[in-house]
Amino acid sequence: MDLEEVNSLVKAEEQWRKCECINLIASENVTSPAVDAAYASDFSHRYAEGEPFKRYYNGTRYIDELEQKTTELAKQVLRARDVDLRPISGTVANIAAFAFLVKPGSLVLSNATAAGGHISHNSRGAVGLVGGKPVAFPVAEDYFHLDVDKTIALIEEKSKSENQAERISTLVFGCSLFLFPQPIREIAPAAKASGCRIAFDAAHVLGLVAAGLFQDPLREGAELMTSSTHKTFFGPQGGLIASELSDEEWGKCKSRVFPGVTSNHHLHRIPALAVALLEFQKFGAEYARQVVANAKAFAQALSEAGFKVCGEEFGFTESHQVAIDV
């Protein structure tokens, strides 16, 4: 390979994916020219371990100010008490959050992969990595909604065990295939009465949640909300954790981010994320409403064309995703 071939492949990708494709991968979005411009900066060359103004490196005066202000901006947009922007992906955010919430050896109630759950929620991913033993949420007959009564019964049954390994320590809501909101509000009282912690993985729906659509996890009972920053939220690729924890517990959770699972946290993401957050404040709600409207219209058109689109009895979708039975 030589430089000409590298440049040729980059140009081919730009032409193919930006100009010739209908991109239907729900995990992807594109950023604005303003975000792109902020992303390509000197920060991509620099290190800044730790928290703003408490770094383990010198030369961080500008990233300290920028990261602190971007964090405050994220707290406003997400309506969260605290936010940590340092996880470099949604899965890294999950590892840190689960390392704080999950008691090693305990059960973790999450969405099965076959029911749309993310791989980081199962034994091969972040849940297993921190010592949790995943148990699948009971699902309704349509397979896209949780069975609230059966879930509460399962939590209460497991809470009676004297063996800590048979008790549920943590509930993880959120999916990769995520058509409809999940019943955090209905399940949270029973979960908390049984001593369970609650997290919500908002990776796919962060932009909808921030816009006041879909659901409001931190007000419905979730203590932590993890996410990537590049799906329905149109920022650069990266991750975050939003929190409603006390200051003491939040400090412990942040220690799982650094030094737990990050060192340098790819600083060039931060100014790009700041621009995306400012854009979201300006037109994010309108954008999110149109995303859902587009998904519903797409599902309806596919159904009328003869495809077996899932969830028709529920309006097909309340997110950016459409599921087809093939």
Side-chain angles (χ1 to χ4, degrees), residues 44-316:
S44 65
H45 310 140
R46 308 304 168 194
Y47 260 59
E49 291 179 341
E51 297 185 49
F53 304 104
K54 300 177 183 178
R55 305 293 194 187
Y56 292 85
Y57 282 81
N58 291 321
T60 64
R61 68 171 78 171
Y62 297 116
I63 190 59
D64 285 348
E65 182 177 356
L66 186 55
E67 186 174 326
Q68 184 181 66
K69 290 181 176 179
T70 304
T71 299
E72 290 302 314
L73 191 57
K75 287 160 64 173
Q76 294 173 26
V77 170
L78 300 178
R79 304 180 301 283
R81 177 174 178 170
D82 289 296
V83 174
D84 195 324
L85 303 177
R86 293 174 297 174
I88 59 173
S89 72
T91 292
V92 170
N94 281 345
I95 295 171
F98 299 166
F100 170 72
L101 293 174
V102 176
K103 296 177 182 177
S106 68
L107 303 181
V108 175
L109 201 53
S110 60
N111 291 276
T113 306
H118 190 255
I119 193 170
S120 67
H121 303 172
N122 71 28
S123 59
R124 294 176 295 165
V127 167
L129 190 64
V130 302
K133 298 184 295 183
V135 175
F137 276 113
V139 295
E141 289 185 9
D142 65 82
Y143 224 61
F144 294 106
H145 293 84
L146 302 186
D147 188 312
V148 173
D149 292 339
K150 288 183 179 179
T151 298
I152 291 173
L154 177 61
I155 293 168
E156 292 176 343
E157 175 193 348
K158 293 295 184 182
S159 71
K160 297 174 184 177
S161 176
E162 295 183 4
N163 183 353
Q164 289 296 323
E166 295 301 320
R167 296 172 69 97
I168 297 169
S169 71
T170 310
L171 279 65
V172 178
F173 292 93
C175 297
S176 280
L177 176 57
F178 208 176
L179 302 181
F180 305 106
Q182 296 203 312
I184 304 173
R185 191 185 303 278
E186 293 84 348
I187 294 171
K192 292 185 177 181
S194 298
C196 302
R197 312 301 297 262
I198 301 176
F200 180 85
D201 187 338
H204 269 279
V205 296
L206 185 68
L208 308 184
V209 169
L213 305 177
F214 203 71
Q215 62 186 112
D216 193 3
L218 295 177
R219 254 59 57 190
E220 294 169 11
E223 300 165 90
L224 293 178
M225 180 171 71
T226 64
S227 190
S228 56
T229 54
H230 53 268
K231 296 182 175 77
T232 53
F233 184 85
F234 40 72
Q237 293 201 8
L240 60 78
I241 303 174
S243 166
E244 287 297 310
L245 297 172
S246 67
D247 290 344
E248 180 181 359
E249 286 205 304
W250 179 234
K252 293 176 181 178
C253 182
K254 287 195 297 181
S255 74
R256 271 60 168 189
V257 177
F258 175 84
V261 294
T262 64
S263 173
N264 185 51
H265 48 283
H266 301 180
L267 307 184
H268 58 293
R269 295 184 301 112
I270 304 302
L273 183 57
V275 173
L277 286 163
L278 290 168
E279 290 175 338
F280 197 91
Q281 285 187 320
K282 191 75 172 179
F283 58 80
E286 180 182 358
Y287 176 93
R289 286 192 294 270
Q290 191 61 55
V291 165
V292 177
N294 288 349
K296 286 179 175 289
F298 184 45
Q300 183 64 46
L302 289 171
S303 179
E304 292 173 0
F307 290 91
K308 188 177 180 181
V309 184
C310 301
E312 182 175 7
E313 64 271 38
F314 307 109
F316 296 114

